Amino acid sequence: MSEPLNGYRAGYVALVGRPNVGKSTLMNYLLGQKIAAVSPRPQTTRQRQLGILTLDNAQAIFMDTPGLHIPAHKLGEYMNLVAEDALREADIIVWLVEANSLPTDEDRLIAEKLRTLVHPPPVLLALNKMDLLPAEELSERMADYHALLPGAEIMTISAVNGVNCDELLAGLLRHLPMGEPFFNADQLTDFYERDIAADLIREAALLHLREEIPHGTAVRIDEYTERGESGAFISATIFVERDSHKAIVIGKGGEMLKRIGVTARREIEAMSGRRVYLELRVKVNKNWRNKPDALRWLGYARLKK
Ligand SMILES: Nc1nc2c(ncn2[C@@H]2O[C@H](COP(=O)(O)OP(=O)(O)OP(=O)(O)O)[C@@H](O)[C@H]2O)c(=O)[nH]1
Ligand SMILES: [Mg+2]
């Protein structure tokens, strides 16, 4: 860090933006460890997940959030509410957009939400994926986004390879309030290992499946048992919305489910640092993304404030 912070600082940093702009990638990079699922498809993150970065002079508690979007079902409405809650809890907001595309309607909607916050914290507008933007278009693109929220500090980053991310971190630490850390130095997230494992299984499904099918999946961990030297045994159910989707997720001779399982197992092993035996099954819960009881039961319910 270039400038001293003069005393300990601690606070909450909301990572917000429309789906797929790189919020979870940025959080993983800043923590130096993958704790959040990342995929090339929008709407990967469905819950708020904390990423706790404890330094000698500051504790930044990142809130990774679902992408703010125009919802098509009750799950989407829930995801938006979760992201909006984070906006209100933040000491500073990092608003991520995609440098390689022009502002979209969703970006304009987010700008409007940020402009109308009752107690607006500082906003750092980060144009991510600068590696995908030709250098000669940079200043024009910055102007396009700056116009959406002129009060925001603006910078360009590349979360996937860390370019300018340490500068972004240094910039946001200065906005954190003075105070003691909220969490023990060894706590990295508020998710249990089994919650992360469930997201990594869904991440694998997002990677291997096409069209709407992966978006209609939910994962429940049925068993997560330590087996000493031989690692952990995990049994999980992938829920889908239709019988026809179940057949696709399983695939010919179980091939697709196997592929999802191999990818997910590798990721869970890397995350947990031990060997994992993963058993997957598929069940149908018709139209669950629009059923309040199914959403609650799958853990997509806001805590009452
Ligand atoms: N080229 C490039 N790709 C990136 C960069 N940052 C993220 N990505 C990719 O963008 C995709 C989406 O990244 P995520 O981190 O899942 O995006 P997100 O904003 O968390 O998405 P949701 O959870 O769906 O809201 C992934 O394929 C990432 O690898 C970047 O700086 N450059
Ligand atoms: Mg995400």
Side-chain angles (χ1 to χ4, degrees):
M1 238 167 296
S2 45
E3 282 175 45
L5 288 170
N6 305 322
Y8 207 89
R9 291 175 185 266
Y12 285 80
V13 183
L15 301 175
V16 299
R18 64 178 167 80
N20 213 40
V21 292
K23 302 177 291 296
S24 303
T25 305
L26 177 63
M27 186 169 83
N28 288 338
Y29 175 83
L30 291 170
L31 292 178
Q33 198 168 323
K34 181 171 172 183
I35 57 160
V38 163
S39 96
R41 289 161 184 278
Q43 297 176 29
T44 300
T45 304
R46 288 179 177 167
Q47 309 268 24
R48 188 198 75 175
Q49 181 178 9
L50 300 184
I52 304 157
L53 179 66
T54 305
L55 304 167
D56 289 343
N57 51 3
Q59 183 173 71
I61 304 152
F62 294 99
M63 298 186 277
D64 187 16
T65 62
L68 280 158
H69 65 290
I70 295 153
H73 37 64
K74 285 200 161 52
L75 173 65
E77 290 169 18
Y78 162 80
M79 286 159 58
N80 277 349
L81 290 173
V82 166
E84 286 172 29
D85 284 346
L87 291 178
R88 286 186 290 269
E89 288 161 15
D91 295 302
I92 172 165
I93 294 169
V94 178
W95 174 26
L96 273 92
V97 296
E98 260 178 358
N100 59 318
S101 77
L102 288 167
T104 66
D105 285 344
E106 281 171 343
D107 290 319
R108 279 183 275 275
L109 219 84
I110 294 166
E112 178 64 24
K113 280 189 202 304
L114 294 174
R115 270 198 302 271
T116 52
L117 281 175
V118 179
H119 301 291
V123 177
L124 223 157
L125 172 51
L127 272 66
N128 188 31
K129 309 194 184 181
M130 64 182 279
D131 52 294
L132 300 178
L133 181 77
E136 63 272 18
E137 290 177 32
L138 192 64
S139 57
E140 196 181 328
R141 193 53 49 83
M142 285 176 88
D144 292 334
Y145 280 103
H146 180 70
L148 296 186
L149 197 69
E153 204 176 309
I154 191 164
M155 64 188 302
T156 54
I157 63 166
S158 196
V160 85
N161 48 33
V163 173
N164 280 353
C165 290
D166 294 336
E167 288 76 1
L168 176 135
L169 177 64
L172 63 85
L173 289 180
R174 271 180 231 116
H175 290 289
L176 295 184
M178 307 285 296
E180 296 297 309
F182 291 86
F183 293 91
N184 287 335
D186 59 357
Q187 187 172 352
L188 199 62
T189 181
D190 59 336
F191 271 30
Y192 291 108
E193 217 170 88
R194 58 188 293 149
D195 303 324
I196 302 176
D199 272 353
L200 293 174
I201 295 167
R202 207 163 45 77
E203 177 193 78
L206 282 159
L207 203 65
H208 292 296
L209 296 164
R210 297 278 159 266
E211 319 256 321
E212 254 305 281
I213 299 169
H215 293 297
T217 61
V219 175
R220 183 188 68 195
I221 303 291
D222 301 312
E223 191 181 337
Y224 203 119
T225 328
E226 295 299 333
R227 288 209 175 148
E229 289 286 290
S230 64
F233 170 76
I234 305 173
S235 171
T237 305
I238 301 177
F239 289 94
V240 294
E241 292 199 302
R242 293 189 202 157
D243 293 323
S244 59
H245 292 180
K246 179 174 173 177
I248 294 168
V249 173
I250 294 171
K252 242 193 215 132
E255 203 188 310
M256 178 55 88
L257 193 59
K258 197 167 163 193
R259 215 183 304 162
I260 293 169
V262 168
T263 303
R265 178 175 53 75
R266 282 199 195 117
E267 288 289 327
I268 298 169
E269 286 181 338
M271 177 270 297
S272 64
R274 61 169 165 270
R275 285 184 52 198
V276 162
Y277 181 81
L278 177 63
E279 188 181 82
L280 293 177
R281 70 181 64 78
V282 186
K283 282 190 182 163
V284 180
N285 187 323
K286 287 214 165 64
N287 201 23
W288 67 264
R289 280 186 294 177
N290 265 319
K291 292 200 299 208
D293 59 333
L295 289 172
R296 252 195 314 277
W297 172 76
L298 286 163
Y300 301 118
R302 266 159 102 218
L303 298 172
K304 284 263 180 292
K305 294 215 159 101

